[in-house]
Amino acid sequence: FWRMFRTAVKTLNSEAYIVGENWDNSYPWLTGDQFDAVMNYELMNVLWSYIGDKEHVKCKTDSKAFIASLGDYLVSYPKHVVQHMFNMMDSHDTKRVMTIVSGNVERAKLLYLLQMIMPGSPSIYYGSEWGFEGDAEFNRLCMRFEALLFEQPLYRFLKELIAARKIHPAMHVSNFTLEPLGKNGLKIIKRCDTEEMILLINNSENPLEITSEPTLKLPPFGYSMVFEAL
């Protein structure tokens, strides 16, 4: 059915984007004859396990385990498939981001920051940009439009992050260099033809001192992201 579906859709519009929903490894559906991408629960769970509160995730990981899990995901698909995945951090069938991080806005920022540097198409579930909470049973409530009268810190952060993604091609590429900084710190380097991105993350409730050049002290659940022209 899906092969026939793809033929029919692409005949009508060769630019149509066909997204499937599958919660596990989806390679059998992404070999070029069925879906263009799937809702990326696989990547979502990798990021949840690293940034989320241990009360809300199945398996809490430190930086080394996160690097291993992310590596497993990235090598599970061809690079051109990874570039088209539908990357979301929550959905109509999951807990919301703010619930996953137990209401901590700074942790939510780290989760969205990692989402925005992953190859693929980032998606934000309605209301989560305003910090709405909800578990898997209460995450489809009506949009609370009164909340939009007051600009929230998370909303401003996401606007800035999306703007940065539009102008910095290094955020899009699928090649990573990852290095743990202690148990819960992380250094990520991404490079394209024109620029290099260096991201330092402190996924901890304690300050993290970076002793390499230049020295830097990251606040709890803080980060530093810089871009250098090549």
Side-chain angles (χ1 to χ4, degrees), residues 9 19 24 32 56 64 86 108 121 129 131 151 155 161 164 172 179 202 210 215 219 221-222:
V9 169
V19 183
D24 303 310
H56 296 288
K64 286 185 178 180
F86 187 85
S121 302
E129 73 274 25
E151 191 172 24
Y155 178 77
L161 198 54
H172 298 253
E179 175 187 344
N202 177 18
I210 311 297
T215 59
F221 302 111

Side-chain angles (χ1 to χ4, degrees), residues 156-177:
R156 292 197 301 271
F157 174 77
L158 282 168
K159 287 178 66 175
E160 295 168 357
L161 198 54
I162 292 169
R165 183 180 166 90
K166 288 181 177 180
I167 63 175
H168 289 293
M171 293 179 71
H172 298 253
V173 298
S174 55
N175 293 329
F176 287 77
T177 299

Side-chain angles (χ1 to χ4, degrees), residues 96-99 102-104 127 131-135 138-139 141 144:
R96 284 186 179 269
V97 163
M98 287 300 288
T99 297
S102 296
N104 188 313
F132 292 178
E133 298 186 37
D135 59 22
F138 293 95
N139 61 356
L141 300 180
R144 301 196 299 274

